[in-house]
Each structure stands twice: as C-alpha cells, then as structure tokens.
Amino acid sequence: MNPDDAAPEARLLRLFEGHRLTPAQRRIAHCLVQHAAQAAFLSSVEIAELAGVSQPSVTRFAMTLGFDGYPALRKEIRGLGVSDFPAASEKGEDTSLSEPQRAVLAEIANLQHLAGLLADKGPVVRAARLLAPSRPLLVLGLRAAAAQAAGFAYFAAKVHPDVRLIDEGGSMLADRIEQAAGAGASALLCFALPRYPAELTDALSIASKAGLSVVTIADSAFAPAAALSDVLLPAAVGTQLVFDTACAPMMLGRVLLESMVDEIPGAEARLEAFEHSAAARGLFTD
C-alpha cells in the first residue's frame, strides 16, 4: 500500500514513528491523534491544555520530530488532510442524551477511528505473520486486559494448535514465558489496557530477552508497552463510564485473528474438526 493512500489517522501516527518520546511527549502525540480532525487548527497553547503539559513542551515535541517549531508541525498535519474527517466531538454534544447513550456513542466513535486505521492493512498483516508460526503462541493480558486476552485465546485455540493464555501475574509469570520460549515459542501477543500493571512491562522485557517477537494491542500507540513491542496496534478504550469499555480492542483482536487464519496451515480443517466434535457431543443447544 502506498503510504499516501493510508487513512489520515495512520499518516498522523507515522509522523511520530522512529522517535524516542518522553512521557510528556507521548501525551502530546496521543492528544493529537485523539483530536486529529481539530489538530490542524489548534494552537500550541490549546494542545498543551488538552494534553496537560506546558506550552514549551509542545514546542520541544515539534522539534524532536524534526520541525523548527509547532507552526511547522501544524502545517505538516494540515497537509495530511486529517481535518477532512470530522471527529465525533466536533458535531456537538446532545444534552438530551443520557450518560449511557453518550458512552455508547463515544464507543462508536472509537470503532470508527479504528476503521480508519484499518484502511492500512499492513500492521495487522505483519502482526499476523509474526504470531501465526509461533508454537506455542503466548497470549498475555493482566488485570483490565485479562478478559481481552482470554477472549482472543479462546477463539485462537480453534484454529491454532497450541495457544497458552497468561492472564495472571506473580512470580510464575517469568517462568511461564521462559518455559514457552524453551518449548519453541517465537512470539507473544499482549493486550495492554489502562491502568497498566507494572509487571506487564517486566513480562515484555522478559519475553524480548527470551527472543520472542512481541505484538501488542493497546489503547494508544504511546502506551508504555510500545517501547517493548515489535508491532503495536492501537485501539482506543471508552472512558465515559466508571470503568473503561474496550469494544475497539476486542474488535481489533478479532481482525488480527482473521488475518492469522490465512497464515496458519490447516486452520480451516482444524475449525471444521471442532464443529464436527461439538455436534457429536451436543455441545451447543442451537
């Protein structure tokens, strides 16, 4: 795919690739992606307020990316055409909506943003090609991300011959990663969602030292796990309710698994065998 044909959101993310960003700079980058449709028109002061950093931090961020200052970065963002895709927040908030309705609409916006990123299939295909050959395949998700990891592992086991789920931390975490590497694993899929457990980054460091390729699905391309990942696939979480919602990360996991099916020899036969077995055992009531 020609880089110029990628979705505007993906082109915006590419501005930040290959740069070592400080935590404050990662917040700025994340803010620009979140407000992609408005970013081309916001001042450095407005960006600083949205990101919760100082205005000089925004200027330093632009210079880190190789621009003379924020105006030059903003000009580059305008050239990406991101303002052609209005954000949901620009349409105005309907005060007649209930809190649950606003939460659902915010989640729909997250899915729409993910759809834009998936216009470029390259990152998902690269991730699938790293994960599919791994025997065993490790799937890691701790605390808030445990449900996402478990869901992915459940379906992946229907087409992949050896899936190992790690959804609890503790002193056995390093053992299980090292044992899998010793058994022949070549890759690990990580779900990293806020709040990020400190032991998650420790686990990814252990995986890298063990020679495993790391693919991470995270709520942001600037999550702490990004620096420890070979491929990072972003999908935003909803923050409108007391507890975050993760429809977009779940969807991205299924999209990734769909791509992996094309890379796993015998995947369709394995799935068909499961269906025959399930029918013979009366596993499902339908």
Side-chain angles (χ1 to χ4, degrees), residues 16-260:
F16 315 131
E17 289 180 352
H19 298 279
R20 187 178 295 276
L21 303 178
T22 66
Q25 290 171 341
R26 287 197 296 270
R27 287 202 299 274
I28 296 168
H30 182 52
C31 176
L32 289 171
V33 174
Q34 279 188 311
H35 301 276
Q38 305 157 279
F41 308 101
L42 296 175
S43 69
S44 60
V45 173
E46 289 171 320
I47 289 294
E49 290 177 353
L50 286 170
V53 301
S54 66
Q55 188 277 333
S57 294
V58 177
T59 300
R60 288 193 294 271
F61 168 73
M63 296 179 71
T64 296
L65 299 181
F67 297 95
D68 293 336
Y70 180 73
L73 171 58
R74 184 171 58 184
K75 182 178 179 181
E76 181 71 15
I77 293 173
R78 287 176 179 172
L80 297 178
V82 293
S83 59
D84 296 336
F85 292 74
S89 60
E90 289 184 286
K91 299 175 184 178
E93 186 174 286
D94 188 344
T95 55
S96 68
L97 296 176
S98 67
E99 182 178 348
Q101 286 178 307
R102 289 195 294 271
V104 170
L105 291 175
E107 199 73 326
I108 290 171
N110 287 338
L111 289 167
Q112 290 174 329
H113 183 258
L114 175 61
L117 291 176
L118 290 173
D120 179 3
K121 298 178 182 178
V124 169
V125 171
R126 287 196 299 275
R129 289 176 178 170
L130 285 175
L131 297 170
S134 185
R135 304 287 188 279
L137 171 63
L138 283 175
V139 180
L140 171 66
L142 303 178
R143 293 187 178 269
Q148 300 298 320
F152 181 94
Y154 171 78
F155 289 109
K158 297 182 185 299
V159 293
H160 190 285
D162 190 355
V163 178
R164 300 189 188 183
L165 172 65
I166 303 178
D167 58 0
E168 293 183 352
S171 61
M172 292 290 290
L173 188 56
D175 293 350
R176 297 181 67 185
I177 292 172
E178 291 174 350
Q179 288 164 2
S186 60
L188 175 149
L189 172 62
C190 170
F191 286 84
L193 303 178
R195 299 170 67 185
Y196 313 107
E199 59 189 338
L200 179 69
T201 52
D202 294 337
L204 295 186
S205 295
I206 292 166
S208 295
K209 290 176 182 176
L212 301 183
S213 297
V214 175
V215 173
T216 298
I217 291 178
D219 64 302
S220 165
F222 314 102
L228 297 166
S229 304
D230 296 282
V231 178
L232 188 135
L233 304 173
V237 300
T239 58
Q240 300 290 312
L241 302 176
V242 173
F243 300 108
D244 290 348
T245 51
C247 294
M250 181 195 70
M251 185 66 187
L252 183 51
R254 299 296 188 272
V255 169
L256 174 58
L257 185 55
E258 182 85 6
S259 187
M260 287 174 60

Side-chain angles (χ1 to χ4, degrees), residues 274-286:
F274 169 78
E275 293 298 336
H276 284 306
S277 175
R281 290 179 287 152
L283 196 59
F284 302 111
T285 57
D286 57 1

